[in-house]
Amino acid sequence: MSQLAILLLAAGSSSRMAPRDKLMEKVNGQPLLGLMSHRAMQTGLSSFVTIPSHSHPRAAHVGNAIPIEVPDAAEGMGISIRTGIAALPDAIEAVLILPADMPEIETQDLLHMAKQYSSDDPQILRACTIDGTPGHPVLFPRRYFEELLTLSGDSGARSVLKNQPVKLVTLLGMRAVTDLDTPESWAIWRANKN
C-alpha cells in the first residue's frame, strides 16, 4: 500500500458557508481540516492537501500532510484535482481523493478503500453507502491520472467516473455521502451527533 497516496481537497472557497469557513468548523475540538489531515496521516499513506495558498488560515491545519497550493482554486474542484495530481510523486501508483468536508470518513475507511486496491487489476474504486449510493472517497489508479489532468470547472471527476468502469466499496451508514457545505447541514449534523 506504500505506493498509494491520499489527496484531500481543501482549496475551495466555502462560499455556501459564508462568512464562516466550513473547513475551520470545530469537530472533536479541532478544525475539521486538521482532523481530516490527521486521519489521513494515521493511515501511514503519503498524504497531500490542496489549499488556496500557503498564507491562507487553512495552511496551519494540514499537520504533517504535504500542502499543495492551488492559487486559481476559484476555477472549481477540477483545478484542485488537476493541481493535486500534477504534484504527486512519480512512484505513486494510485490516489484516494477525498473532499475535506466529510467529517464521518475515518482512518479505517481510508484503509478499507486502500486494501481493496490491487495493482494486478487497477480499477477505479468508489465509496458508497450501505444502500449503494455512490460518494467519496474515490481511488484512481495512475492509468487515469492523464484524464484527471484535463479536468476543469466544478464538477470534480464526474466525467471520468461517468466514462470508466467503477467498482463500489461499501462504507458504514451514510459516511460516503455526508459532506457539510452549509450552516444548515452543519446544524443538522451536530444535532444528530448529540
Side-chain angles (χ1 to χ4, degrees):
M1 289 200 320
S2 60
Q3 301 311 306
L4 270 61
I6 295 172
L7 178 62
L8 277 177
L9 304 178
S13 65
S14 187
S15 58
R16 293 170 67 195
M17 278 292 287
R20 291 152 53 190
D21 181 344
K22 64 183 176 182
L23 297 180
M24 301 298 279
E25 290 287 307
K26 293 286 178 70
V27 178
N28 297 349
Q30 63 180 308
L32 176 58
L33 179 56
L35 177 68
M36 298 308 291
S37 295
H38 176 72
R39 288 176 178 170
M41 290 300 299
Q42 289 293 104
T43 64
L45 301 174
S46 298
S47 298
F48 301 81
V49 182
T50 62
I51 53 174
S53 71
H54 292 299
S55 61
H56 194 280
R58 292 179 193 165
H61 300 284
V62 301
N64 292 324
I66 298 165
I68 299 170
E69 195 173 36
V70 187
D72 40 5
E75 281 185 36
M77 194 186 292
I79 187 70
S80 198
I81 294 173
R82 251 175 35 216
T83 306
I85 293 294
L88 295 177
D90 291 341
I92 299 300
E93 63 180 67
V95 63
L96 258 172
I97 299 179
L98 175 66
D101 63 350
M102 302 190 68
E104 294 194 355
I105 298 294
E106 303 270 358
T107 298
Q108 68 259 26
D109 297 315
L110 297 169
L111 286 170
H112 177 63
M113 292 288 296
K115 284 176 184 160
Q116 307 306 308
Y117 173 73
S118 166
S119 55
D120 296 330
D121 181 24
Q123 56 186 314
I124 297 172
L125 305 176
R126 185 171 190 183
C128 69
T129 62
I130 216 87
D131 67 1
T133 304
H136 293 93
V138 182
L139 185 148
F140 291 95
R142 178 167 281 279
R143 68 180 178 185
Y144 298 104
F145 285 13
E146 199 170 317
E147 212 172 334
L148 294 173
L149 288 169
T150 67
L151 296 176
S152 62
D154 206 31
S155 59
R158 283 193 197 119
S159 59
V160 182
L161 294 170
K162 189 172 72 178
N163 296 317
Q164 301 294 347
V166 176
K167 178 183 174 186
L168 294 178
V169 177
T170 304
L171 301 183
L172 288 175
M174 301 300 285
R175 289 180 180 186
V177 295
T178 302
D179 62 338
L180 304 178
D181 290 324
T182 65
E184 294 76 22
S185 62
W186 273 97
I188 292 165
W189 183 77
R190 285 183 168 131
N192 290 334
K193 283 299 206 186
N194 296 330

